[in-house]
Amino acid sequence: MNQTKKPTIADVAKAAGVSKAAVTFALKGTNGVSAETRERILAVADDLGWTPSASARALSNRRAYALGFIIRRDPTVLAADPFFADFIAGAEEVLADGGRVMVLSVARDEASERASYRSLASEGRVDGVLITDLRTDDERFALLSELELPAVVASQTKANHGFPSVHEDDEGGVAEVVDHLVQFGHTRIAHVTGDPAYEHAVRRRESFVAALKRHGLRPDAVVESDFTANGGAEATRHLLSRSTQPSAIVYANDLMAVAGAAVAQRQGLRIPGDLSITGFDGTDIGAHLFPSLTTVRTNPFLLGSTAASSLVKFIDHETVSDVTLPSPELIVRDSTGPAPTDQGA
Amino acid sequence: MNQTKKPTIADVAKAAGVSKAAVTFALKGTNGVSAETRERILAVADDLGWTPSASARALSNRRAYALGFIIRRDPTVLAADPFFADFIAGAEEVLADGGRVMVLSVARDEASERASYRSLASEGRVDGVLITDLRTDDERFALLSELELPAVVASQTKANHGFPSVHEDDEGGVAEVVDHLVQFGHTRIAHVTGDPAYEHAVRRRESFVAALKRHGLRPDAVVESDFTANGGAEATRHLLSRSTQPSAIVYANDLMAVAGAAVAQRQGLRIPGDLSITGFDGTDIGAHLFPSLTTVRTNPFLLGSTAASSLVKFIDHETVSDVTLPSPELIVRDSTGPAPTDQGA
DNA sequence: CTGAAAGCGCTTACAG
DNA sequence: CTGAAAGCGCTTACAG
């Protein structure tokens, strides 16, 4: 690839008969040039196909005009989880206007994750990062402070981390699911949790327990799992082998619910006749299964765009307050129905 | 965020009692400094926590040390398609060692996709891009040439684009699926295509037709669809409403197969007793459905890592030849079985 | 409203 | 083997 030399600001300045500074001013549209001159300069720039060099601008401004997003690749979960794609699309939407760019990194483990944050920060690749999937006692907060790397946390947390945050209210979603099942007469409602290393797994479990208690039910069928299809299947086998089978299972995500439903069907149970099942995420595919999956629809796209705009403001030293997005919405489909009549109180 | 000033190469040079050039040499490890001095310099750099500034390096070297990947967001497909996550993870693996970074962009439509390529190129944000999901008569080739932006095509194509390419052999995968079904005695085998705007949809259809003919069967049940769950469901309803129903359906991806299976089940058909079904992709969730999905396992991770290393070489003006990865592998699971005995020839 | 100069933090010839 | 200088392409005070 023998690049013909790209035009520089000097070329534009010369062609327009002005100084380089004038070109910069024209571009920013602020002050320093008359409207007329500005037009001419922009026309020339457009003509030559000139856009300021990102690295030169970054060097001058001490600003990369880039945001970082580091995903920890939990191989089985990542691929199946539509969260990231939507979240990134949402963030992108905000970055695109603003001439910013997203630097994405995928880390295999904690060590390489840490290394990624470190190098993004010390090389000045990004001006800030988006944080998701909080772990309990997440060590990233300390790291970010040490690196003095601005961040916005796109998740709910108990941690007092001092970064601006954006989150959906999971609790409301779980409560809606439980209410829905109770209305159908279910009393033996089980829960399959996500990986408790993640805060949202713990939070959903706590919300589940609280919701059950509110209805005077005993949360004695909570099985710990890990958000994977495999984990969901195993937890389901375990629940179904108990002496008192649940009449409904609330899963912490769609993927486990789908795998769990298959396990139940394989054992000859009818859904929802014998067993009601609910997911969490609102993945598109849930609508197209047999039976279709009752779930809670979260909004990763909105979460991504909101978090990104908070981060952009935060980097610019504007005051940004925490944002709570509307509660995710219960989507009632075919996998839930009346409790079996044989069920005791 | 009151950044304490980051150390620069000058700080390192002073602290080590050498020139800035010496630091650069020490870092590259090539020539110019004695092993001893080199050690000392690196120790000092480590001590101060210095890493070269990406933008300064980029400006000097006229190299961004970044690769671009632009995804066109087809909202319904993207979220459900695990391809991207795996592909990106594979590419990342290669970039990480090498100090490179991936710039990800998500485009809503062709216009914003074009704009993304243009700005990445003209701002010098990236040194090259990875191209996937080729369309028939893909206009990106012309664009890339115009922009003189190095690229590697991670897909098979008939187009004579002049860029290095890496691809898996789809044809083999489709042939394996058809052979498998024929061995089970199926003769009325249908195909639900992906969106024919994409080359791989067309290629899979052609492979299907060829495979059927090889077995002396008539490919008279090919329904055009679009890779989405909805599309797969509709195509399936159409096929099942025909006077001569197929005994097996080959879908161009897993997502459509899953949705198609649900449609068949909803109509009371047993899978595989009444209808055999196959997907394409080998998504993890397919293993956890009821029945589990027979499919073809592709390897997006390998595709991503191979494409990324080709691109890195291509950017460095090394000669890179096209790579054909091993044929994807047939994964036989529960959704395929013997043809129903009532079936005529 | 405009122009010349210095600086951002590297790298790269070019002298010594 | 090492040092001083120029340059990468912008932006930003600072004069005019």
Side-chain angles (χ1 to χ4, degrees):
Chain A
M1 296 273 111
N2 192 355
Q3 308 264 109
T4 51
K5 236 180 129 241
K6 275 184 201 153
T8 73
I9 194 173
D11 299 324
V12 175
K14 187 156 32 141
V18 298
S19 70
K20 294 191 291 172
V23 178
T24 295
F25 290 143
L27 208 69
K28 296 205 299 184
T30 44
N31 52 356
V33 285
S34 67
E36 194 187 359
T37 318
R38 178 163 182 271
E39 287 309 305
R40 199 180 68 240
I41 294 176
L42 292 182
V44 169
D46 196 55
D47 227 55
L48 298 180
W50 175 78
T51 319
S53 144
S55 44
R57 220 155 57 103
L59 185 58
S60 270
N61 290 341
R62 305 140 165 295
R63 254 316 145 73
Y65 297 99
L67 263 39
F69 184 45
I70 299 178
I71 297 175
R72 190 147 96 201
R73 174 182 155 82
D74 192 339
T76 39
V77 175
L78 175 59
D81 196 340
F83 173 86
F84 292 111
D86 266 348
F87 181 84
I88 292 172
E92 263 290 324
E93 194 94 352
V94 170
L95 301 189
D97 11 273
R100 291 182 184 77
V101 125
M102 169 172 277
V103 170
L104 182 75
S105 202
V106 181
R108 267 183 319 292
D109 47 37
E110 263 196 43
S112 72
E113 183 189 33
R114 239 184 339 255
S116 281
Y117 282 109
R118 274 192 191 288
S119 65
L120 288 187
S122 74
E123 295 173 11
R125 288 272 195 184
V126 300
D127 304 318
V129 292
L130 256 18
I131 304 287
T132 61
D133 281 356
L134 290 195
R135 277 100 68 176
T136 32
D137 295 320
D138 203 308
E139 75 291 350
R140 288 177 291 177
F141 294 129
L143 180 62
L144 294 171
S145 303
E146 181 203 326
L147 299 173
E148 302 184 74
L149 189 60
V152 162
V153 176
S155 179
Q156 200 172 349
T157 174
K158 291 172 178 167
N160 185 11
H161 48 65
F163 295 98
S165 81
V166 177
H167 71 267
E168 289 186 288
D169 173 23
D170 273 7
E171 205 166 336
V174 174
E176 277 188 278
V177 164
V178 170
D179 291 354
H180 168 66
L181 291 170
V182 168
Q183 272 169 32
F184 265 139
H186 292 274
T187 56
R188 292 200 304 260
I189 307 177
H191 178 50
V192 175
T193 77
D195 184 341
Y198 291 98
E199 279 218 54
H200 58 295
V202 174
R203 197 168 51 246
R204 286 174 196 175
R205 169 165 53 71
E206 288 172 354
S207 306
F208 173 81
V209 168
L212 242 57
K213 287 188 175 157
R214 216 176 299 125
H215 286 288
L217 298 174
R218 290 231 312 271
D220 48 11
V222 174
V223 180
E224 189 175 307
S225 187
D226 61 3
F227 286 130
T228 70
N230 221 348
E234 246 173 62
T236 306
R237 274 189 288 270
H238 175 70
L239 280 170
L240 296 182
S241 71
R242 288 191 175 185
S243 53
T244 57
Q245 283 193 6
S247 68
I249 305 180
V250 173
Y251 292 83
N253 74 351
D254 277 5
L255 185 57
M256 293 195 295
V258 170
V263 164
Q265 289 173 325
R266 212 164 270 136
Q267 296 193 9
L269 296 178
R270 285 161 309 139
I271 298 174
D274 301 316
L275 181 69
S276 283
I277 275 188
T278 65
F280 204 102
D281 284 341
T283 52
D284 187 55
I285 196 173
H288 294 277
L289 296 172
F290 178 70
S292 59
L293 185 65
T294 293
T295 187
V296 172
R297 179 178 294 140
T298 59
N299 196 340
F301 187 92
L302 181 62
L303 188 65
S305 62
T306 310
S309 55
S310 282
L311 183 50
V312 167
K313 285 186 200 134
F314 187 53
I315 290 171
D316 287 342
H317 307 290
E318 293 178 35
T319 321
V320 307
S321 40
D322 294 351
V323 180
T324 302
L325 300 176
S327 255
E329 179 195 3
L330 176 69
I331 309 288
V332 176
R333 292 198 283 236
D334 300 341
S335 68
T336 46
T341 49
D342 60 24
Q343 171 163 7
Chain B
M1 298 276 107
N2 193 355
Q3 306 267 109
T4 52
K5 235 179 130 241
K6 274 184 203 156
T8 72
I9 194 172
D11 300 323
V12 175
K14 188 159 26 146
V18 299
S19 71
K20 295 190 292 172
V23 178
T24 295
F25 290 143
L27 207 70
K28 296 205 297 187
T30 44
N31 51 354
V33 285
S34 67
E36 195 186 358
T37 318
R38 178 163 182 271
E39 287 308 308
R40 200 179 69 240
I41 295 176
L42 292 183
V44 169
D46 197 53
D47 228 54
L48 298 180
W50 175 78
T51 319
S53 143
S55 44
R57 220 156 56 104
L59 185 57
S60 269
N61 289 341
R62 304 140 167 296
R63 252 318 143 75
Y65 297 98
L67 263 40
F69 184 46
I70 299 177
I71 298 176
R72 190 146 97 201
R73 174 183 154 81
D74 194 339
T76 40
V77 175
L78 175 58
D81 195 341
F83 173 87
F84 291 111
D86 267 348
F87 181 84
I88 291 173
E92 263 291 325
E93 194 94 352
V94 170
L95 300 190
D97 9 274
R100 289 182 185 79
V101 125
M102 169 171 277
V103 170
L104 181 75
S105 203
V106 181
R108 269 183 317 293
D109 48 37
E110 262 194 47
S112 72
E113 183 188 35
R114 238 185 338 256
S116 281
Y117 282 109
R118 273 190 192 288
S119 64
L120 288 186
S122 73
E123 296 173 9
R125 288 272 194 184
V126 301
D127 304 318
V129 292
L130 256 18
I131 304 286
T132 60
D133 280 356
L134 291 193
R135 277 99 70 176
T136 32
D137 294 322
D138 204 308
E139 75 291 348
R140 288 177 293 178
F141 294 129
L143 180 62
L144 294 170
S145 304
E146 181 202 327
L147 299 174
E148 303 184 73
L149 189 59
V152 161
V153 176
S155 178
Q156 199 171 351
T157 174
K158 291 172 177 166
N160 185 12
H161 48 67
F163 295 97
S165 82
V166 177
H167 71 268
E168 290 185 287
D169 173 24
D170 274 6
E171 204 166 338
V174 174
E176 276 187 278
V177 164
V178 170
D179 291 354
H180 168 65
L181 290 170
V182 167
Q183 272 168 32
F184 265 137
H186 292 276
T187 55
R188 290 199 306 258
I189 306 176
H191 178 52
V192 174
T193 77
D195 183 341
Y198 291 98
E199 278 217 55
H200 58 294
V202 174
R203 197 169 51 246
R204 287 174 195 175
R205 169 168 51 73
E206 287 171 355
S207 306
F208 173 81
V209 168
L212 243 57
K213 286 188 176 155
R214 217 176 298 125
H215 286 288
L217 298 173
R218 290 232 311 271
D220 47 13
V222 173
V223 180
E224 188 173 306
S225 188
D226 59 4
F227 286 129
T228 71
N230 221 348
E234 246 173 64
T236 306
R237 275 189 286 271
H238 175 71
L239 281 170
L240 296 182
S241 70
R242 286 191 176 186
S243 52
T244 57
Q245 283 192 6
S247 68
I249 306 181
V250 172
Y251 292 84
N253 74 350
D254 277 5
L255 185 58
M256 292 195 295
V258 170
V263 164
Q265 289 173 323
R266 212 163 269 134
Q267 297 193 7
L269 295 179
R270 285 163 308 141
I271 298 174
D274 300 317
L275 180 68
S276 283
I277 276 189
T278 65
F280 204 102
D281 285 338
T283 51
D284 186 55
I285 196 173
H288 294 278
L289 296 172
F290 177 70
S292 60
L293 185 64
T294 293
T295 186
V296 172
R297 179 178 293 141
T298 58
N299 196 340
F301 188 94
L302 181 62
L303 188 66
S305 62
T306 311
S309 56
S310 282
L311 182 50
V312 167
K313 285 188 200 134
F314 188 53
I315 289 170
D316 287 341
H317 307 290
E318 292 177 36
T319 321
V320 307
S321 40
D322 293 350
V323 179
T324 302
L325 299 176
S327 256
E329 178 195 3
L330 176 70
I331 309 289
V332 176
R333 292 197 283 235
D334 300 341
S335 67
T336 45
T341 49
D342 60 23
Q343 169 164 8

